Amino acid sequence: MARGRGEREDYEKNPGCEKVDCLSMETFLQPKNLTHGMSDDELFWRASMVPGKEDFPFERVPKVAFMFLSRGPLPMMPLWERFFQGHDKFFSIYLHMFPGYKLNVSSTSPFYGRQIPSQPVSWGTVTLVDAERRLLSNALLDFSNQRFILLSESCIPVYNFPTVYKYLIGSNHSFVESYDDPGRYGRGRYSRKMLPEIELYQWRKGSQWFELSRTLAIYIVSETKYYTLFSRYCLPACYPDEHYMPTYFNMFHGSLNSNRTVTWVDWSLGGPHPATYAGDNITEDLVRSIRNNGALCQYNSEMTSICYLFARKFAPSALEPLLDLASSVMEF
């Protein structure tokens, strides 16, 4: 049987399929090798497949997919490795890095071999959304992945893994910040060229750093109509990564979204980028204030003081002070 272009490239890059049954249920359900030759269109199509049967023909343990969008190095990796330690069955990692970059990491690290085929990404352009969809699609190929969190190289966890896992797996909603900003940086970025598909009152803004259920992740990699509108008409100073998902979910899947993010950032300095915390800024009080600043948020129709599971931005120099606080404050 003739192979398609993507399959041919995959076969050429992965001759191990001659030795491993690549059509086995195990390989189909939980791909071990993230290298493939699929184009984005092929990848999105495959990732959008949904089983018609409700029951799984295997013992499924739901996992959280941690998706890192980074240009290159992961300076917080030692902190994340400590966070993941002992929980191998409950998470998976996906890394979208600059094409050609090879992460230098020990084969014993959970980050080993987790880079996905990537494309160049430019800040403020639709290529960021492309990278997000690429990460989601690769993660969706593993049928055990139930929740999907987008992170950067400057992100850290502020709670231990069991707390994060229980919070995300147990949530009835996804965590995509989505709100109506009447100012120049919100509605001011709307283009009337999006009419009649998107009207001004439907336009939303939110943080790029989302967390999705499997259901919403499939919606994002499957749909093309609204993605195309944003790629054509949301141009600088409109930023697709801040408007595409918030607007799309507001229009069609609002009941499945919490309209808030679980990743804390500090915008107190103003400007286009949040504050960055270096080593000298790291204190026990800072981390405790991120974990619980006295405010409450809604979780499964109830109020909780645990609103943020992750935080950014942290400079490489913050690693050692954070490691010192990991056990006593973050409890891992």
Side-chain angles (χ1 to χ4, degrees):
M1 182 181 294
R3 296 185 177 93
R5 177 174 57 83
E7 290 179 299
R8 285 197 302 272
E9 294 174 357
D10 191 14
Y11 184 80
E12 291 166 0
K13 292 180 180 179
N14 297 283
C17 283
E18 296 176 348
K19 300 179 180 180
V20 177
D21 183 2
C22 293
L23 294 180
S24 69
M25 281 294 290
E26 181 181 3
T27 305
F28 175 71
L29 295 171
Q30 297 180 327
K32 297 295 189 295
N33 190 340
L34 300 187
T35 301
H36 58 74
M38 288 184 284
S39 67
D40 279 355
D41 286 342
E42 292 168 335
L43 174 64
F44 298 161
W45 176 79
R46 181 172 171 182
S48 67
M49 295 181 180
V50 180
K53 288 181 66 67
E54 293 185 5
D55 298 331
F56 293 94
F58 63 100
E59 186 177 349
R60 182 178 186 265
V61 176
K63 296 191 297 187
V64 176
F66 292 80
M67 308 179 303
F68 290 83
L69 179 57
S70 172
R71 293 185 180 90
L74 298 175
M76 296 295 131
M77 188 165 60
L79 185 68
W80 283 103
E81 288 174 332
R82 182 184 293 191
F83 168 80
F84 288 126
Q85 188 173 3
H87 306 288
D88 294 356
K89 295 182 179 180
F90 304 102
F91 73 89
S92 52
I93 295 174
Y94 299 86
L95 310 174
H96 189 292
M97 296 174 161
F98 195 81
Y101 180 83
K102 299 297 182 183
L103 185 66
N104 184 17
V105 61
S106 166
S107 61
T108 60
S109 170
F111 289 86
Y112 179 77
R114 303 309 298 175
Q115 287 183 242
I116 67 168
S118 63
Q119 297 292 333
V121 174
S122 298
W123 181 80
T125 71
V126 77
T127 59
L128 271 171
V129 176
D130 294 338
E132 293 167 0
R133 297 174 83 204
R134 209 171 284 127
L135 280 163
L136 285 170
S137 294
N138 279 277
L140 282 166
L141 297 182
D142 185 335
F143 281 78
S144 292
N145 286 330
Q146 186 64 28
R147 308 291 300 206
F148 305 78
I149 177 74
L150 182 69
L151 303 157
S152 77
E153 70 275 11
S154 65
C155 284
I156 65 165
V158 295
Y159 284 92
N160 60 27
F161 186 90
T163 300
V164 170
Y165 181 85
K166 181 179 179 181
Y167 195 100
L168 297 181
I169 294 295
S171 176
N172 297 330
H173 303 90
S174 293
F175 298 95
V176 180
E177 188 177 48
S178 178
Y179 60 93
D180 182 11
D181 178 355
R184 60 181 292 195
Y185 300 117
R187 289 196 177 200
R189 294 174 175 175
Y190 170 78
S191 171
R192 294 181 62 85
K193 293 180 180 179
M194 293 186 175
L195 288 170
E197 285 80 6
I198 303 175
E199 299 190 37
L200 179 59
Y201 78 91
Q202 298 170 313
W203 185 256
R204 292 294 184 270
K205 181 181 179 180
S207 168
Q208 171 191 1
W209 309 104
F210 61 77
E211 191 279 337
L212 297 179
S213 66
R214 188 172 183 91
T215 297
L216 291 192
I218 291 172
Y219 282 137
I220 284 297
V221 303
S222 301
E223 88 88 18
T224 57
K225 178 178 180 179
Y226 293 90
Y227 165 82
T228 301
L229 283 173
F230 275 86
S231 64
R232 289 177 179 173
Y233 304 123
C234 184
L235 305 172
C238 176
Y239 305 112
D241 58 297
E242 295 183 4
H243 295 281
Y244 168 58
M245 288 192 196
T247 299
Y248 177 74
F249 290 140
N250 173 62
M251 293 175 65
F252 300 108
H253 306 291
S255 64
L256 301 179
N257 186 30
S258 66
N259 294 327
R260 66 180 179 90
T261 179
V262 287
T263 300
W264 178 90
V265 292
D266 179 1
W267 290 101
S268 63
L269 300 180
H273 301 287
T276 297
Y277 286 83
D280 293 341
N281 306 124
I282 305 303
T283 65
E284 181 175 334
D285 287 343
L286 170 66
V287 178
R288 291 195 184 280
S289 69
I290 297 172
R291 286 165 55 96
N292 187 349
N293 63 3
L296 298 177
C297 55
Q298 195 169 41
Y299 176 83
N300 289 352
S301 302
E302 297 181 355
M303 303 307 292
T304 178
S305 61
I306 300 179
C307 300
Y308 298 110
L309 305 177
F310 312 98
R312 67 185 300 269
K313 300 172 63 173
F314 291 87
S317 61
L319 175 62
E320 290 302 325
L322 286 169
L323 285 171
D324 291 339
L325 295 173
S327 177
S328 60
V329 180
M330 294 177 275
E331 301 177 354
F332 62 84

